[in-house]
């Protein structure tokens, strides 16, 4: 079958037809998908018949895969697969780019629907490239010069009385190894040369600014990422896979399904060290993630 790629929105997202994810990709098919990912940032596939092993095999076409997470437990018997489960409550209502608190965050993320609620449970994916293009010239020039510290250990601003024992245990697991890494606020994509705002929920402080000043600057820039016209709102159906470019997007799991069962499986592709507009690389301050991810060339 020939591949058909249909845009979903003007700035982000495309639906892919004519690719059987349960079979190895030919070179031409892989090239077409990589070009589509570069152009559209997020791709939606029919994943009928795909299991954990098949998801990993498909994702490996794009590079070496990471283990499930630096600190969070994997699916039993599948060390490269992270369960994104309604019972876990991870990453809901929180704009982020996956695992930016390590030196080389994943270059791409795949999510496959296992259990879908009858309503709600969408995943929002935003183009940080479109956000950068939206910036006024003066703000763009400022952003080009900024660096931000990303960490998995920060104040979630949740009152203690609202945190139950299960939530506290999840947070303890998530921060069991503490990471701090400094990344450019504007990252240059290594394949396309596009610039995008590389921030999100793990970015907690602008280097050289106070915590209060940092929050104001980050909130200002983040508002451009989450403009509705820059966001794909994906409503999950059974047996779907979404692949998105983690280097130039953010995403958000919407908690609007009344606690009904919802489960996705995540597999991520190992990434390179981010580079800013002046050609300087990110640098680690605390935490070793070598057990989690190889370094992509």
């Amino acid at each position: 079958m020939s591949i058909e790629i249909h845009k979903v929105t003007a700035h982000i997202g495309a639906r892919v037809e004519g690719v059987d994810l349960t079979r190895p990709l030919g070179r031409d098919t892989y090239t077409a998908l990589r070009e589509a990912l570069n152009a559209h940032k997020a791709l939606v596939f029919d994943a009928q018949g795909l299991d954990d092993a098949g998801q990993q095999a498909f994702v490996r076409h794009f590079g070496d895969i990471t283990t499930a997470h630096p600190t969070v437990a994997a699916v039993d018997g599948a060390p490269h697969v992270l369960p994104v489960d309604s019972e876990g409550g991870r990453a809901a209502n929180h704009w982020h780019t996956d695992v930016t608190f390590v030196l080389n965050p994943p270059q791409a993320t795949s999510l496959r629907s296992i259990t879908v609620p009858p309503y709600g449970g969408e995943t929002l994916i935003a183009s940080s490239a479109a956000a950068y293009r939206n910036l006024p010239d003066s703000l763009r020039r400022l952003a080009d010069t900024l660096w931000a510290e990303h960490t998995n250990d920060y104040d979630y601003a949740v009152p203690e009385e609202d945190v139950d024992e299960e939530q506290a245990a999840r947070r303890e697991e998530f921060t069991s190894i503490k990471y701090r890494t400094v990344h450019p606020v504007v990252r240059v994509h290594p394949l396309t040369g596009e610039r995008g705002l590389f921030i999100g929920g793990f970015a907690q402080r602008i280097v050289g600014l106070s915590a209060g000043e940092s929050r104001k600057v980050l909130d200002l820039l983040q508002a451009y990422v989450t403009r509705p016209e820059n966001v794909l709102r994906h409503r999950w159906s059974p047996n779907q896979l979404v692949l998105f470019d983690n280097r130039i997007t953010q995403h958000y799991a919407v908690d609007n399904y009344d606690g009904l069962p919802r489960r996705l499986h995540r597999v991520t592709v190992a990434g390179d060290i981010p580079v800013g507009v002046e050609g300087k690389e990110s640098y680690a301050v605390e935490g070793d993630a070598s057990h989690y991810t190889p370094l992509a060339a």
Side-chain angles (χ1 to χ4, degrees):
M1 294 177 64
S2 60
I3 299 175
E4 295 183 8
I5 297 172
H6 306 278
K7 289 182 70 169
V8 178
T9 81
H11 299 307
I12 183 169
R15 187 177 72 256
V16 180
E17 297 178 353
V19 178
D20 184 351
L21 300 190
T22 66
R23 303 180 65 180
L25 302 181
R27 180 178 295 275
D28 290 347
T29 301
Y30 162 74
T31 299
L33 293 182
R34 174 61 84 174
E35 290 175 353
L37 186 61
N38 289 343
H40 302 291
K41 314 299 187 275
L43 304 177
V44 180
F45 298 86
D46 174 20
Q48 186 71 39
L50 202 66
D51 56 12
D52 285 340
Q55 182 176 359
Q56 293 172 75
F58 169 69
V59 172
R60 278 193 174 97
H61 287 95
F62 295 85
D64 293 333
I65 62 175
T66 71
T67 56
H69 192 273
T71 59
V72 178
V75 170
D76 288 345
H80 299 279
V81 181
L82 181 74
V84 181
D85 199 316
S86 57
E87 294 183 1
R90 302 184 185 103
N93 296 331
H94 171 70
W95 279 107
H96 66 289
T97 298
D98 281 337
V99 201
T100 58
F101 45 83
V102 305
L103 180 61
N104 59 310
Q107 60 152 297
T109 294
S110 70
L111 293 173
R112 179 171 59 94
S113 55
I114 308 297
T115 303
V116 175
Y119 54 85
E122 299 93 343
T123 296
L124 311 184
I125 308 172
S127 170
S128 61
Y132 180 80
R133 293 194 299 269
N134 292 157
L135 295 177
D137 288 345
S138 57
L139 190 51
R140 191 182 300 124
R141 288 194 297 270
L142 173 63
D144 285 345
T145 69
L146 299 177
W147 291 71
E149 183 178 287
H150 296 232
T151 180
N152 65 330
D153 184 27
Y154 59 90
D155 179 8
Y156 286 77
V158 177
E160 288 188 10
E161 59 270 20
D162 292 340
V163 179
D164 59 25
E165 290 185 6
E166 185 178 354
Q167 291 171 322
R170 288 199 299 268
R171 174 165 166 73
E172 184 177 357
E173 178 188 32
F174 193 77
T175 60
S176 58
I177 303 173
K178 293 179 174 58
Y179 292 96
R180 291 189 297 140
T181 301
V182 175
H183 294 300
V185 166
V186 177
R187 181 179 186 176
V188 179
H189 195 286
L191 298 182
T192 68
E194 281 186 290
R195 296 179 182 185
L197 293 176
F198 197 62
I199 44 177
F202 299 122
Q204 290 294 299
R205 186 178 65 84
I206 299 292
V207 174
L209 299 184
S210 69
E213 292 167 336
S214 295
R215 190 73 269 148
K216 291 175 182 176
V217 172
L218 289 167
D219 286 347
L220 174 61
L221 296 174
Q222 183 68 15
Y224 284 86
V225 177
T226 57
R227 283 184 170 183
E229 59 267 32
N230 294 336
V231 176
L232 167 67
R233 188 180 187 105
H234 179 66
R235 171 74 176 97
W236 288 97
S237 297
N239 302 308
Q240 282 188 321
L241 183 140
V242 175
L243 177 72
F244 51 88
D245 192 329
N246 201 57
R247 294 180 285 208
I248 205 159
T249 62
Q250 291 183 30
H251 57 284
Y252 181 111
V254 185
D255 185 5
N256 62 349
Y257 46 98
D258 291 330
L260 294 166
R262 176 186 184 271
R263 185 180 177 97
L264 311 175
H265 280 186
R266 186 180 92 181
V267 178
T268 55
V269 187
D272 50 307
I273 299 174
V275 175
V277 298
E278 295 180 347
K280 296 180 181 178
E281 292 186 339
S282 302
Y283 57 93
V285 177
E286 180 180 5
D288 179 6
S290 58
H291 67 287
Y292 161 64
T293 179
L295 179 61

